[in-house]
Amino acid sequence: MPDATTHDRITLISGIALAPLVYGGLTVVAADAAALGTSLFTIAHMVSGVLFSPDLDIDSAIHRRWGILSWIWRPYMWIIPHRHFWSHSLVVAPLLKLIYFYGVLVGAFLGVSWCLAQLGVVVRDYHVIMTRAIIEGIAGNPHQAGLLIGGFITGNAAHTIADWASTTGKRLWRRWQR
Ligand SMILES: [Zn+2]
């Protein structure tokens, strides 16, 4: 399997390669928003490949990138089998990771609220505020949201395709050597 550094390079190169395609496509449908849209797509692609890598399903260098927040991905790693469809697929895996991340944020807000409530401190329903902000953000900016999600999907997909290519290459190499 390519290591984390190789995957980072693949993320960077694929992001740079996709940017002009996205920009070209956007100039046809929404020329005035092409630069912003391409930026959002490319940033999402890079963040997806570097921080939300499919290899979060195993104890890897990616976990360490999250620093003190790496605990977020421990349950994910325990639940999801390594290199399974749920972590290494083109569309389902990245979307599942976004849903998981959202779930963790909701859980964290609820947990902190509950702890503070035990101390007699009542805080606002931040998980509701966050959820509302996300829904309103998507509804109010559907194109930008689509580009962000699209970039997030391609960032993960570049990793998964590289893994598949590496596995197939190794298999062919072994067969050729026999
Ligand atoms: Zn992988």
Side-chain angles (χ1 to χ4, degrees), residues 35-52:
L36 174 67
T38 307
S39 305
L40 290 175
F41 178 91
T42 308
I43 291 167
H45 180 97
M46 301 294 181
V47 170
S48 167
V50 173
L51 276 179
F52 288 81

Side-chain angles (χ1 to χ4, degrees), residues 1 7 53-55 57 82-83 88 159-160 163:
M1 243 31 61
H7 272 303
S53 157
D55 284 348
D57 66 359
H82 180 46
R83 294 199 77 204
H88 283 68
H159 174 114
T160 299
D163 276 359

Side-chain angles (χ1 to χ4, degrees), residues 50-72:
V50 173
L51 276 179
F52 288 81
S53 157
D55 284 348
L56 283 169
D57 66 359
I58 193 171
D59 195 356
S60 64
I62 316 301
H63 282 259
R64 288 187 284 284
R65 290 178 182 170
W66 284 80
I68 54 164
L69 294 177
S70 63
W71 58 267
I72 287 176

Side-chain angles (χ1 to χ4, degrees), residues 78-155:
W78 294 327
I79 296 164
I80 306 288
H82 180 46
R83 294 199 77 204
H84 192 269
F85 171 79
W86 298 115
S87 66
H88 283 68
S89 54
L90 297 182
V91 178
V92 173
L95 293 182
L96 177 73
K97 218 174 303 161
L98 281 183
I99 294 167
Y100 173 88
F101 190 63
Y102 165 77
V104 168
L105 290 179
V106 169
F109 281 134
L110 286 173
V112 171
S113 299
W114 184 84
C115 290
L116 289 173
Q118 304 312 303
L119 301 170
V121 181
V122 178
V123 292
R124 296 177 67 194
D125 287 336
Y126 283 109
H127 64 289
V128 177
I129 294 170
M130 175 186 72
T131 305
R132 207 173 285 148
I134 293 170
I135 292 170
E136 284 171 5
I138 293 172
N141 311 280
H143 296 121
Q144 280 94 329
L147 286 161
L148 275 175
I149 294 170
F152 194 83
I153 289 172
T154 57

